[in-house]
């Protein structure tokens, strides 16, 4: 099935820096969602952006969506050690079966 | 508190055994999902259900079975036909076209 693909697969930055992760997908979507997963735990929803939206903010998170390029980005500003986790994008397709389709994720490490 | 609960947290299966993973939600969500996650990988959809007494196969349904007799419950059985069942299993629920809520996962190991 179609999957979102995150880039990079891994990212290591210093605390206080900004972290940017990208997601590309292949077919039309209703919405795109970003999730966070701490090691060995379930996923936690961060932001949902609908296909008619271009940018959305939540605290230190900023998500953009470019439907013409079929891509999205997640920016975490002023990173903290507690932001260390894996981040996944999930696409909710406009046509076809229900169910969010996940990429393989970006593993983010924040160095103190 | 409202939420989604998976049990057990850890499960060990002997070769040739069937095992059942539990998933319960009290969020009044119609849709429920089972995903499998292998180390360093994303989530792959096993089965999903949009309504009671109905469910659909996902991308990797072979060797798995589900039931949806109640809105709150969506148990997953890993059968002996699943040759490589060792993985982290995640259950989720949601309303249509909204975010998903995940359980804390069940880690299944074949011994």
């Amino acid at each position: 099935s179609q999957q979102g693909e995150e880039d990079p697969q891994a990212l290591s930055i210093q605390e206080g820096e900004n972290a940017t992760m990208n997601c590309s997908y292949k077919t039309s979507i209703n919405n795109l969602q970003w999730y966070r997963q701490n090691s060995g735990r379930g996923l936690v929803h961060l932001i949902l952006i609908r296909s008619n939206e271009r940018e959305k903010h939540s605290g230190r998170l900023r998500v953009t969506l470019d439907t013409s390029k079929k891509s999205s980005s997640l920016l975490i500003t002023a990173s903290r050690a507690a932001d260390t986790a894996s981040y996944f994008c999930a696409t909710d397709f406009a046509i076809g079966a229900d169910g969010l389709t996940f990429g393989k994720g970006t593993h983010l490490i924040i160095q103190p | 508190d409202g939420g989604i609960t998976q049990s057990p947290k850890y499960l060990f299966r002997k070769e040739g055994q069937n095992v059942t993973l539990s998933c319960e939600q009290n969020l009044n969500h119609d849709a429920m999902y089972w995903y499998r996650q292998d180390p360093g990988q994303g989530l792959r959809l096993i089965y999903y259900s949009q309504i009671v007494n109905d469910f659909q196969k996902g991308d990797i349904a072979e060797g798995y079975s589900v039931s949806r007799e109640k809105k709150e419950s969506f148990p997953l059985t890993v059968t002996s036909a699943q040759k490589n069942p060792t993985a982290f299993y995640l259950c989720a629920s949601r309303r249509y076209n909204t975010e998903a809520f995940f359980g804390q996962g069940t880690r299944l190991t074949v011994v």
Side-chain angles (χ1 to χ4, degrees):
Chain A
S1 66
Q2 303 294 340
Q3 274 191 333
E5 291 193 9
E6 294 90 345
D7 172 62
Q9 290 186 341
L11 180 61
S12 180
I13 60 174
Q14 295 295 123
E15 194 167 20
E17 294 180 338
N18 295 343
T20 299
M21 289 156 269
N22 303 296
C23 172
S24 60
Y25 58 93
K26 296 179 182 177
T27 62
S28 296
I29 58 171
N30 280 330
N31 63 72
L32 186 144
Q33 304 177 27
W34 285 92
Y35 289 81
R36 166 194 168 122
Q37 183 182 36
N38 288 90
S39 182
R41 307 296 297 272
L43 276 69
V44 174
H45 177 258
L46 297 175
I47 289 186
L48 181 154
I49 186 165
R50 302 200 181 276
S51 59
N52 60 352
E53 297 175 311
R54 292 297 167 258
E55 188 170 311
K56 213 163 181 181
H57 297 252
S58 176
R60 292 183 297 112
L61 307 180
R62 180 173 78 103
V63 168
T64 61
L65 179 65
D66 186 336
T67 53
S68 66
K69 295 181 178 178
K70 293 186 169 56
S71 68
S72 174
S73 67
L74 170 66
L75 168 68
I76 303 174
T77 61
S79 63
R80 305 167 181 169
D83 294 328
T84 294
S86 291
Y87 292 82
F88 295 89
C89 71
T91 44
D92 203 356
F93 292 111
I95 298 172
D98 191 17
L100 294 169
T101 304
F102 288 81
K104 294 186 177 181
T106 293
H107 185 52
L108 176 65
I109 297 173
I110 309 298
Q111 308 274 9
Chain B
D1 285 352
I4 181 164
T5 302
Q6 289 186 242
S7 63
K9 189 172 182 179
Y10 299 97
L11 188 57
F12 298 91
R13 192 194 95 166
K14 294 181 180 179
E15 296 281 351
Q17 262 187 346
N18 292 355
V19 290
T20 297
L21 284 60
S22 171
C23 180
E24 304 276 334
Q25 54 99 1
N26 60 4
L27 299 166
N28 199 32
H29 288 164
D30 288 314
M32 297 187 74
Y33 309 86
W34 275 105
Y35 290 92
R36 170 181 172 142
Q37 187 178 31
D38 292 285
Q41 299 297 310
L43 279 66
R44 292 185 290 169
L45 183 63
I46 305 173
Y47 268 98
Y48 65 97
S49 169
Q50 295 172 301
I51 197 169
V52 174
N53 292 324
D54 186 53
F55 48 83
Q56 305 295 328
K57 292 182 178 179
D59 300 318
I60 56 165
E62 186 175 350
Y64 300 98
S65 66
V66 293
S67 63
R68 187 85 187 275
E69 297 176 2
K70 299 186 301 182
K71 188 175 187 177
E72 300 80 15
S73 179
F74 192 41
L76 173 74
T77 296
V78 184
T79 74
S80 57
Q82 171 50 241
K83 298 306 179 189
N84 185 23
T86 295
F88 190 50
Y89 291 87
L90 287 159
C91 180
S93 71
R94 68 171 183 156
R95 291 194 175 91
Y96 175 72
N97 207 23
T98 65
E99 71 271 23
F101 291 78
F102 281 82
Q104 289 303 302
T106 293
R107 190 167 299 280
L108 174 62
T109 304
V110 175
V111 295

